[in-house]
Amino acid sequence: MKEQTSNPVGKSVPRVDAFEKVTGAAKYVDDMAFGPTLLHGKIVHSPVAHALIKKIDVSKALALPGVKAVVTGQDNPTLLGLYLKDRYIYAYDRVRYVGESVAGVVSISEEIAEQAAKLVEVEYELLPPVFDPYEGAKPDAPLLHPDLGKYEVVNFIFPKPGTNISEHFKLRKGNVSDAGVSEEVWAQCAAVVEDQYTLPQIQHAPLETHIAVAQWNADGQVTLWAASQSPFAQRDLLAQSLGIPHGNMRVISPYIGGGFGGKAGISIEANVVLMAKAVPGHPVKVRMTREEEFVATNVRQSLVAKFKIGCDEAGNLLAMDLAYYFGGGAYNDYGVNIARAAGYSCTGPYDVPNVKGDSYCVYTNHPIGSAMRGFGMPEIHWGLEQIMDRLAEAIGMDAADFKRQNCVRSGDIILTGMTMPEVDLPKCIDKVKEAIEWGRESKPSAPHKRRGKGIAIMWKAPAMPPNPGSSAIVRFNEDATLNVYVSGQELGQGAFTVAAQMAAEALGIPYEWVRVSANPVDTKYSPYEWQTVASRVTWSMGNAVKAAAEHARGQILEIVAKYWNENPADLDIKDGVVISYKSEREQTLKKMVIYGLPNENFEGWQGGPIVGSGKFMPTYVTGLDPETGQGARAVVHYTVGAQAVDLEVDTETGQIEVLKIASAYDVGKAINPDLVLTQIEGGAVHGLSSAFECMLFDDRGRLRNPSFVDYKIVTSLDAPREIHGDIVETPLEDGPWGARGVGEHVMVQTAPAIANALYNALGVRFNDLPLSAEKIYLATHEGEELICKA
Amino acid sequence: MLHEITLNINGETYPVVVKSQDTLLRVLREQLGLTGTKIGCENGECGACTVLFDGAPVNSCMVLAVEAQGHCIETVEGLSKGGDLHPLQKAFVEHNAVQCGFCTSGMLMSAKALLERNPHPTEQEVREALVGNLCRCTGYIRIVDAVLDVAEAGD
Ligand code: FES
Ligand code: FES
């Protein structure tokens, strides 16, 4: 008999999707067959960063044999966007970054589409570009969006028309004013650090590039197949923008070859839908090349961050004056909420009495800055976590002790006025200190090498509208196997596996009886899920799955109780059998979950096919005062964690080798502990990689490194020898079995932990990412004459 | 120009008609429905399209279909025999060395080639053998461990 796992929550059961994935059977969008009527689309990208479109001539492209249609912004000048509708699907009257979609060509083959794309002639009148968010925020900077004041925007985002600022979040706490933290407070500080830290834009670089297939039928039914973290949000945005009834707009999304936020919200999908509209009845496919993926899809925002932070001589943080300028890129339809999230969490995981924080999202003529794993938190922690070390050093304290002393604790009134929900950050710090042998010096492997250790801590809340919902359905089969319907996407994080575990646990059936019917997610048949983002799925979708399973369980118990003439409260389901604690009777679930049970003496039947449904939506998040950022409950909760790094740096080459990363996160409850560890490990390496990544633009905004050869991500040789993970479990009040998310948090503070370790090794601080070998070499050989020895 | 060729894939013979410029990757995926081999860059940079060419790992996006005539090609679909997973596949499942799965086929093929030419690699040798296979999800360590596990279990 096959193994059966009872009560699978908290057990490291195998992934439900692993078999399909190791055999090559798992289907991604590009693996789906669309038949001989399939046409191929190619997007024409802008070659210039900022310009007015004077004229588009598509006649030559259309004349090429095999070309079926060419679409441009003139065909459908409709604005699109999740939080701020600031983006035309195809550029309308101007372009704002190199790579922007200007036209779409549809043809019978990929080759012809590519040729035709080169024949689309566009006349541009160049405008002065803006690349630096700090400069771009100034009142005299060239304007990217003169119509900013006319765009539709949600009520918690505050654009500043007449500037390039698409969002300004203000945080005021304690003895502060718009001018800054009061001089009285600074006077009490024994140490103050004032400095600027910056990060460049970086790419998500999932192994699967963006891909979408769309079909627009003559009867008005529109179908989109997309590698998407957000099938329902995409359906909503497309339906709104294109005037399609939601019921006619269908989004189908199978497995995704990596998302990391890049496939959240909407990217190329609307472009493909408009191509399909031009060739009714034909599916049209666009797969971004790797180069297009780098140049023309969403990226992580850049940041210029200005800090002034002070503490007293006992090491208590007294004041923070913070200004964050996010380089939002050309369109900030999603990015505005990153600046907002960075605003209401601007202090990092610290309890500080006086805070003045200003977080801006600024338009720049670079690719669209959007969601990426961490959503603003890796960006702000880069500087924050280094300054904490500098303050500790200034007053002669150990950095880990300093962080432990000042970090947020359950019950604290945090910067927005909200009470900190249950978490245990000191425990996370203690765990990583132990794992990295904090305070113990290690010997370098050669005389020209230096060793160093660094620590960094973090917090992050799910950043989303106040009320994003989840729903789930469970359905029994005759043999009591159960199908679970969810629309949380399987990006690799294990969403389907935890859904199966939770359904089995809540129902009282073995894990092996559960099948997850979510591949593909299909908005026509699958239950609603807002988006697979914000590390919210285990928590939010998990609550919906639990509710659906409990709904089904209630129905079963009622039927059996009636059959036995007992009280449902005395019954339970264990390992797929209904038992009575009172009469000790047993009833298997097989058959009865479909056919019900007979009445006494076979006088009729009761019951019927068991279908359970459940939903979850947070109802308690409140608005925040636009002048102070204060409010009763800014966010649903926070996940916290700590990381420590042990590294060796070669002073002759500037190369860093990260030897070990130790992480500890408070996940509330690990539904599947080994899957939590896979997130912790994969995230640490992603975080390590992010410290060395950079989108390199020339002075005209053209990306110079759009390939894996020139944009290097960490390989098997760069991954640390050892990654240690610790799971802390302080239950979350409204989490399923206490669980909260951890998918993004795992890379938030890796880069500053590395920077702190570098300082420990070399005595040099690095304020600007990436940590290139050249930069490190030059910093360690300052003042020396550099001679090239050929 | 069109070519009528025969390809030997996973021990089976397939007659196909291909254009001169068709890559092995595209023919596997689009003509033969062997979609386990993935497209990650079509530029020889990522390893998602790795298959074995007479036992050696190659990026199938960099091989023309016509070049494959007369050679033995192995893809991920040929790994498991009769419903039994290959030891490497089993180890990937057991180690949770799979997340999104997009790099997995290529990783498995590179690992298989390594173990065939070097049944008892060191950790460093495994890392070197997989350096052309990018993975954005797992952090590599579990993949390396899975391969080492199989190496140890073998003789
Ligand atoms: S697709 Fe062949 S190496 Fe990337
Ligand atoms: S598992 Fe996603 S790229 Fe390797």
Side-chain angles (χ1 to χ4, degrees), chain A residues 207 257-258, chain B residues 97-104 107 134-138 143:
Chain A
L207 263 278
Chain B
V98 178
Q99 289 191 28
C100 82
F102 214 73
C103 69
T104 308
M107 286 284 183
L134 298 178
C135 174
R136 193 56 150 170
C137 304
T138 64
I143 293 174

Side-chain angles (χ1 to χ4, degrees), chain B residues 140-151:
Chain B
Y140 301 100
I141 293 175
R142 284 165 184 263
I143 293 174
V144 172
D145 285 349
V147 177
L148 285 171
D149 230 24
V150 175

Side-chain angles (χ1 to χ4, degrees), chain A residues 12-15 17-19 21-28 30-32 110-111 202-209 255-258 260 285 287 289-290 294 372-373 490-493 672 674-675 677-679 681-683 685-686 689-690 693 706-709 711 713-723, chain B residues 19 21-22 26 29-30 33-48 76-80 83-86 88-105 107-108 123-145:
Chain A
S12 296
V13 293
R15 297 178 67 106
D17 54 341
F19 189 96
K21 288 177 174 175
V22 296
T23 52
K27 291 271 180 276
Y28 303 78
D30 204 22
D31 305 334
M32 298 173 115
E110 282 179 67
E111 292 78 22
I202 61 172
Q203 238 293 336
H204 306 81
L207 263 278
E208 175 200 40
T209 58
Y255 283 132
I256 299 170
F260 314 108
K285 180 174 187 170
R287 184 199 325 98
T289 64
R290 180 55 62 184
F294 274 109
M372 178 164 160
R373 201 176 196 178
E490 181 55 79
L491 322 175
Q493 81 283 45
N672 186 319
D674 203 50
L675 287 190
L677 291 177
T678 64
Q679 285 305 298
E681 294 164 17
V685 176
H686 194 181
S689 194
S690 75
E693 293 175 25
S707 73
F708 282 132
V709 172
Y711 184 105
I713 66 170
V714 157
T715 69
S716 52
L717 280 174
D718 313 311
R721 298 284 137 187
E722 200 187 342
I723 300 191
Chain B
K19 294 198 252 26
Q21 70 271 28
D22 283 346
R26 291 299 188 106
R29 292 180 52 83
E30 292 167 9
L34 296 170
T35 54
T37 304
K38 300 298 182 207
I39 301 180
C41 68
E42 294 202 299
N43 225 359
E45 300 165 6
C46 76
V76 69
E77 287 89 351
L79 275 184
S80 59
D84 281 340
L85 291 181
H86 184 277
L88 278 167
Q89 292 174 310
K90 242 184 241 165
F92 270 53
V93 173
E94 275 159 19
H95 283 263
N96 270 330
V98 178
Q99 289 191 28
C100 82
F102 214 73
C103 69
T104 308
S105 310
M107 286 284 183
L108 285 165
E123 182 187 329
Q124 183 64 18
E125 285 169 336
V126 175
R127 286 179 182 244
E128 279 167 13
L130 299 180
V131 74
N133 293 85
L134 298 178
C135 174
R136 193 56 150 170
C137 304
T138 64
Y140 301 100
I141 293 175
R142 284 165 184 263
I143 293 174
V144 172
D145 285 349

Side-chain angles (χ1 to χ4, degrees), chain A residues 157-470:
Chain A
I157 296 294
F158 304 100
K160 299 277 164 272
T163 74
N164 288 321
I165 298 171
S166 57
E167 156 71 352
H168 178 193
F169 185 92
K170 289 191 194 177
L171 198 293
R172 306 286 182 265
K173 179 192 175 191
N175 194 356
V176 305
S177 69
D178 279 353
V181 175
S182 141
E183 280 310 320
E184 263 170 67
V185 178
W186 294 123
Q188 292 162 30
C189 292
V192 175
V193 173
E194 190 170 1
D195 212 342
Q196 173 175 304
Y197 285 80
T198 72
L199 299 83
Q201 283 191 333
I202 61 172
Q203 238 293 336
H204 306 81
L207 263 278
E208 175 200 40
T209 58
H210 278 70
I211 178 164
V213 181
Q215 181 168 338
W216 193 305
N217 285 348
D219 64 359
Q221 299 285 333
V222 183
T223 307
L224 167 72
W225 293 263
S228 171
Q229 295 177 236
S230 319
F232 280 89
Q234 287 184 347
R235 181 185 68 164
D236 185 33
L237 292 174
L238 289 167
Q240 282 184 43
S241 285
L242 303 178
I244 305 166
H246 283 69
N248 286 13
M249 180 72 230
R250 179 178 180 192
V251 181
I252 299 174
S253 186
Y255 283 132
I256 299 170
F260 314 108
K263 290 168 183 159
I266 196 158
S267 162
I268 62 162
E269 297 78 13
N271 299 79
V272 186
V273 169
L274 284 186
M275 288 181 191
K277 190 180 183 188
V279 287
H282 284 275
V284 179
K285 180 174 187 170
V286 174
R287 184 199 325 98
M288 298 297 259
T289 64
R290 180 55 62 184
E291 183 178 351
E292 285 178 295
E293 184 77 12
F294 274 109
V295 172
T297 65
N298 298 350
V299 301
R300 187 168 94 181
Q301 302 188 336
S302 64
L303 177 69
V304 174
K306 295 176 182 290
F307 301 90
K308 183 178 177 189
I309 304 179
C311 67
D312 67 16
E313 59 198 13
N316 298 308
L317 284 171
L318 293 185
M320 288 191 176
D321 189 334
L322 314 163
Y324 300 148
Y325 297 86
F326 283 91
Y331 300 95
N332 296 342
D333 56 306
Y334 204 146
V336 285
N337 202 37
I338 298 171
R340 180 174 192 267
Y344 61 63
S345 295
C346 64
T347 53
Y350 295 101
D351 182 22
V352 194
N354 304 291
V355 185
K356 176 192 176 264
D358 291 277
S359 184
Y360 305 91
C361 193
V362 185
Y363 287 119
T364 60
N365 294 108
H366 276 155
I368 302 172
S370 190
M372 178 164 160
R373 201 176 196 178
F375 209 74
M377 296 303 106
E379 295 92 309
I380 68 169
H381 284 73
W382 165 243
L384 277 172
E385 279 306 286
Q386 293 196 63
I387 292 179
M388 294 303 142
D389 274 42
R390 292 168 63 179
L391 285 170
E393 189 183 14
I395 58 155
M397 226 174 134
D398 172 76
D401 291 344
F402 183 84
K403 291 174 188 191
R404 198 181 190 286
Q405 175 174 322
N406 286 290
C407 74
V408 282
R409 287 166 167 79
S410 311
D412 282 353
I413 304 297
I414 61 170
L415 71 166
T416 51
M418 157 179 169
T419 306
M420 186 70 184
E422 289 282 312
V423 282
D424 197 343
L425 187 46
K427 192 164 173 186
C428 295
I429 297 173
D430 295 345
K431 290 270 182 199
V432 299
K433 275 177 70 180
E434 194 189 321
I436 210 81
E437 298 182 87
W438 187 248
R440 219 178 100 184
E441 274 182 43
S442 317
K443 270 216 168 58
S445 62
H448 60 281
K449 294 186 176 179
R450 308 274 179 276
R451 288 283 290 267
K453 288 178 184 173
I455 193 166
I457 65 174
M458 63 75 64
W459 74 350
K460 183 188 179 294
M464 47 194 192
N467 54 345
S470 296

